[in-house]
Amino acid sequence: MPIPTSTDPVRELDHRFRLAISEVLGIVPEACDPQIRPSGDPRHGDYQSNAAMALAKANGLKPRDLADRIVAAVDLTGLAEVPEVAGPGFINIRLEMGAIASMLASMDDASLGVVRQNRPHGVTVDLCGVNVAKQMHVGHLRATIIGDCIARVFERLGRRVHRENHLGDWGLPIAMTLVALQEAGANLDTITLADLNAAYRSAQASGNADEKGLAAAIANGCGPHRIAELEAQNHDARAAVAQAKATLLKLQAGDIELVRDWKKIIECTMREVFETAVTLNVVLGPEHSRGESFYRDRLSTVVEDFMESGLASEDDGAIVVKYPDRDRPMLIRKSDGGFLYATTDLAAVRFRVQELDSERVIYVVDARQRDHFKDVFDACRMIGWDRTSDGERAELVHLGFGAVLGPDKRPLKTRSGENVTLASLLAEAVARGESEVCARSTDPDSPTHGLDDTELHAIGRAVGIAAVKYADLSLEVSRDYVFDLDRMVSFQGDTGPYIQYAHARIRSILEKAGVEVPFEIESPALPDVTLTLGEPAERDLALTLLAYPGVVADVARTLEPSRLCAYLQRVAAAFSAFYRECPVLKSEEPTRSSRLRLCDLSRRVLADGLGLLGIESPRRM
Ligand code: ARG
């Protein structure tokens, strides 16, 4: 087994230790998790295996004895030195320099070592999820950028990915908005999203009947004026709702004029969504829109199928699904015959698993919808709609994200208490990025000194967007975080601009050395140079780079983009240490070329990783 077959040392060590443990214990390799981890302290080697501690007891052995036997059995030819057993039974592993160099060289192509997942089924990512006639707010930022990142990671792993933007484009709120617009005599050809949003809100308000308030006023013996006033308000509200219901029926029946207006307000909303997607550097276009309306003809079948399977029952005229383990039922048809958000989502799961043939359906939606998705997913599992064409169970996951908070640690609002629109937030971020970049360019030593305004603004935009996206993606998805542009846009610390800067700096080192840096990340600049990794900092950087494929796979498994962010920080830090300790430009050949090749690989891993986060890598900063 002399030549490593993988570019990932952890995979390679896992493989070889598995065989050894299997031989020592006489069990199948699948049952022998060698627990290979990067070592916490380089003095103890590069990696360690903790298997002996985990497996000794069950096999009636002392951990140290088991560790010795594993070490005697393991074949590490061409990969690592003879391991040391330390402490209670840790196995410390140090890779051979030649093995590191050859793995690194084989990673140095378009793949950067990332292994394609060959699976027959696709992956669906439910992202963005805007509502028609409503402006995008900060919640949509998260649903859009986290979803885009997850989709990019699966695409990078060679998977067929369906990005599904499940628009709220159907139902009573839309009908109410259409009525309000008609009454106001609005021109739908020139209307803006802000106007639509205002119509939507006034329609919501006019439809809000305060029945409880009226009952309380009567019970408390409020004056006749107050009661009459409330009665009148409630009467208006009921009338507004009744009118909207009539409009909805007409829309559902395909009334030509209404359908035309409905399409116009969708178009108006989506124009802004697609513009925002461009600003955010997110892959999201009309081909990804499949809104609630798409499922409208499937809803009655959904209810019938649940009734037929005995999983749904009538309850006071309404139809509900009940669960064996909880009291909360899920309403799937109202007593007036109307369907619900949940009914649509049941139809959507079925479609995504069975027609789009996805074995994983990932919902990037606000964590507050947890109960909704639990109910929908459980119902689909009960009825068997989570089975792909070949009968495999698809994994349905709600990747619920936390809230974006203001400096007061409360959900982010404007000064006047309104929701912050995404458009205004991004405009501010871009402005901050631009002023930061322009200010730096005044320094004659800055690589951006002398660039023209257009170039500076393009870099500034990339920096501002990177700041916002990285700050969001670098935390565990479920966590709330405080939106703090000052911190996010800084070129230092755990920020997007810091990683972008690290990338641009390496690029300029390569250019100074006269290396022709290809524009695409895919092309290695120095593919034939022999790598020598004698210095500890070189070795450390090399090992960090070799971890890249494992990190990408890990993000796909855990759905946590923060792991990629943390990794890119480690690459930037390992590169800094390397550059501090190992002269590049002033060193002699062949060291100089070897180091330049390390620079080029570092640059491409950073750019590729940023690309998976949906963050651009400017050439100069
Ligand atoms: N439009 C919904 C909302 O604003 C989000 C849609 C999420 N996706 C889904 N399949 N339910 O809450």
Side-chain angles (χ1 to χ4, degrees):
M1 213 182 319
I3 299 157
T5 52
S6 156
T7 70
D8 179 352
V10 176
R11 272 169 79 112
E12 191 62 34
L13 289 168
D14 182 284
H15 174 65
R16 301 209 190 177
F17 272 88
R18 234 171 239 282
L19 294 180
I21 298 169
S22 145
E23 189 190 309
V24 170
L25 296 178
I27 52 178
V28 289
E30 291 70 37
C32 307
D33 183 2
Q35 302 201 19
I36 307 291
R37 313 257 183 279
S39 145
D41 179 345
R43 283 171 306 178
H44 299 153
D46 304 319
Y47 301 91
Q48 63 186 52
S49 160
N50 300 346
M53 265 96 73
L55 294 168
K57 204 168 166 209
N59 290 282
L61 291 164
K62 285 201 188 112
R64 262 198 90 101
D65 293 344
L66 177 56
D68 285 334
R69 287 169 63 179
I70 296 173
V71 167
V74 72
D75 176 3
L76 297 174
T77 331
L79 182 64
E81 297 164 7
V82 176
E84 258 172 35
V85 175
F90 296 111
I91 302 174
N92 291 337
I93 307 153
R94 199 178 146 80
L95 297 187
E96 284 173 13
M97 202 249 276
I100 304 178
S102 89
M103 283 193 269
L104 202 58
S106 48
M107 159 181 185
D108 193 6
D109 58 19
S111 76
L112 289 172
V114 175
V115 186
R116 291 172 71 87
Q117 297 181 336
N118 285 320
R119 298 281 312 158
H121 306 290
V123 176
T124 289
V125 181
D126 184 301
L127 76 176
C128 186
V130 293
N131 297 313
V132 166
K134 274 170 85 173
Q135 252 154 344
M136 290 176 91
H137 56 76
V138 286
H140 296 117
L141 170 75
R142 306 211 68 191
T144 304
I145 66 177
I146 298 170
D148 179 58
C149 171
I150 299 290
R152 285 175 192 257
V153 167
F154 280 105
E155 282 157 359
R156 183 71 173 77
L157 291 165
R159 302 299 300 267
R160 182 163 45 80
V161 176
H162 303 279
R163 290 158 192 255
E164 293 283 306
N165 185 359
H166 192 84
L167 319 170
D169 63 356
W170 201 240
L172 207 57
I174 303 290
M176 293 184 82
T177 310
L178 282 168
V179 173
L181 290 166
Q182 251 170 14
E183 280 175 356
N187 178 354
L188 297 186
D189 292 316
T190 55
I191 201 156
T192 65
L193 184 53
D195 298 333
L196 281 184
N197 203 42
Y200 184 97
R201 290 228 301 245
S202 81
Q204 291 297 95
S206 68
N208 274 339
D210 187 6
E211 309 288 357
K212 281 199 191 122
L214 178 59
I218 296 171
N220 293 337
C222 285
H225 281 325
R226 179 70 191 128
I227 289 174
E229 191 184 69
L230 277 170
E231 265 171 352
Q233 271 173 16
N234 283 356
H235 176 265
D236 289 351
R238 279 182 231 118
V241 172
Q243 197 188 356
K245 277 190 179 162
T247 305
L248 183 58
L249 278 179
K250 268 169 75 184
L251 181 65
Q252 284 169 341
D255 178 279
I256 293 176
E257 252 172 69
L258 264 177
V259 169
R260 193 197 54 208
D261 288 355
W262 172 69
K263 285 196 176 143
K264 282 185 186 163
I265 67 172
I266 294 180
E267 253 169 52
C268 172
T269 310
M270 295 316 287
R271 254 198 310 276
E272 187 170 312
V273 173
F274 299 139
E275 264 168 38
T276 307
V278 172
T279 308
L280 275 173
N281 194 33
V282 155
V283 179
L284 191 75
E287 66 278 28
H288 305 115
S289 293
R290 202 177 335 248
E292 294 178 13
S293 64
F294 172 82
Y295 300 99
R296 61 188 184 241
D297 298 330
R298 302 169 181 240
L299 303 180
S300 48
T301 327
V302 165
V303 175
E304 279 160 27
D305 288 352
F306 268 92
M307 286 299 274
E308 260 164 43
S309 65
L311 292 165
S313 52
E314 224 187 288
D315 184 25
D316 224 359
I319 306 230
V320 297
V321 174
K322 292 195 176 136
Y323 300 90
D325 62 343
R326 53 186 178 271
D327 288 337
R328 179 184 71 235
M330 176 172 65
L331 188 57
I332 59 172
R333 205 184 75 190
K334 293 191 278 187
S335 52
D336 66 5
F339 301 108
L340 297 103
Y341 181 53
T343 328
T344 305
D345 262 326
L346 292 172
V349 170
R350 187 186 211 178
F351 176 78
R352 292 163 178 188
V353 175
Q354 297 180 353
E355 288 178 58
L356 297 182
D357 191 27
S358 305
E359 66 178 351
R360 258 176 124 178
V361 188
I362 301 158
Y363 289 77
V364 186
V365 184
D366 195 318
R368 286 171 301 181
Q369 295 196 28
R370 198 186 60 203
D371 287 350
H372 165 74
F373 284 112
K374 181 168 173 47
D375 291 351
V376 168
F377 296 167
D378 281 351
C380 287
R381 290 179 190 122
M382 277 154 41
I383 202 167
W385 291 354
D386 63 336
R387 296 226 182 242
T388 54
S389 49
D390 53 12
E392 241 180 87
R393 274 198 186 279
E395 192 192 343
L396 310 173
V397 214
H398 174 206
L399 186 59
F401 53 78
V404 182
L405 309 175
D408 56 355
K409 306 256 164 74
R410 314 202 29 100
L412 191 65
K413 297 275 176 208
T414 60
R415 266 170 229 269
S416 54
E418 312 246 335
N419 277 334
V420 175
T421 63
L422 186 50
S424 64
L425 184 119
L426 295 181
E428 199 186 334
V430 166
R432 287 297 304 275
E434 289 176 341
S435 64
E436 193 78 20
V437 168
C438 290
R440 289 176 153 262
S441 75
T442 58
D443 177 350
D445 289 337
S446 163
T448 51
H449 190 69
L451 292 184
D452 67 33
D453 262 12
T454 332
E455 283 175 292
L456 287 177
H457 283 271
I459 300 171
R461 199 174 320 120
V463 166
I465 295 299
V468 169
K469 290 181 82 167
Y470 183 93
D472 189 297
L473 296 168
S474 63
L475 296 170
E476 222 176 282
V477 171
S478 64
R479 271 177 58 182
D480 298 348
Y481 69 89
V482 172
F483 192 86
D484 175 2
L485 258 184
D486 290 334
R487 186 187 66 75
M488 296 172 172
V489 89
S490 163
F491 277 43
Q492 264 129 46
D494 186 11
T495 70
Y498 170 72
I499 311 271
Q500 286 179 312
Y501 182 73
H503 165 269
R505 186 162 150 250
I506 302 175
R507 222 194 140 93
S508 84
I509 295 168
L510 287 161
E511 280 169 5
K512 268 192 208 132
V515 175
E516 246 190 78
V517 189
F519 191 67
E520 314 83 47
I521 309 170
E522 290 82 16
S523 331
L526 302 145
D528 303 318
V529 166
T530 308
L531 288 158
T532 46
L533 306 164
E535 292 298 319
E538 288 175 310
R539 182 188 177 90
D540 185 53
L541 176 59
L543 289 175
T544 308
L545 294 172
L546 286 176
Y548 183 57
V551 171
V552 177
D554 204 34
V555 176
R557 190 176 56 78
T558 59
L559 306 179
E560 285 293 352
S562 58
R563 298 191 178 209
L564 178 54
C565 296
Y567 170 75
L568 296 177
Q569 283 289 332
R570 289 206 299 279
V571 173
F575 183 83
S576 285
F578 156 76
Y579 197 60
R580 208 171 37 239
E581 279 147 46
C582 308
V584 176
L585 300 175
K586 292 194 181 119
S587 61
E588 301 285 321
E589 288 298 354
T591 306
R592 186 174 187 268
S593 288
S594 166
R595 290 186 178 164
L596 285 171
R597 189 173 182 191
L598 265 181
C599 290
D600 181 56
L601 251 168
S602 307
R603 176 189 84 77
R604 283 171 31 246
V605 165
L606 287 175
D608 197 67
L610 283 173
L612 293 181
L613 298 173
I615 295 178
E616 288 175 88
S617 305
R619 317 180 83 178
R620 253 177 256 287
M621 270 175 73

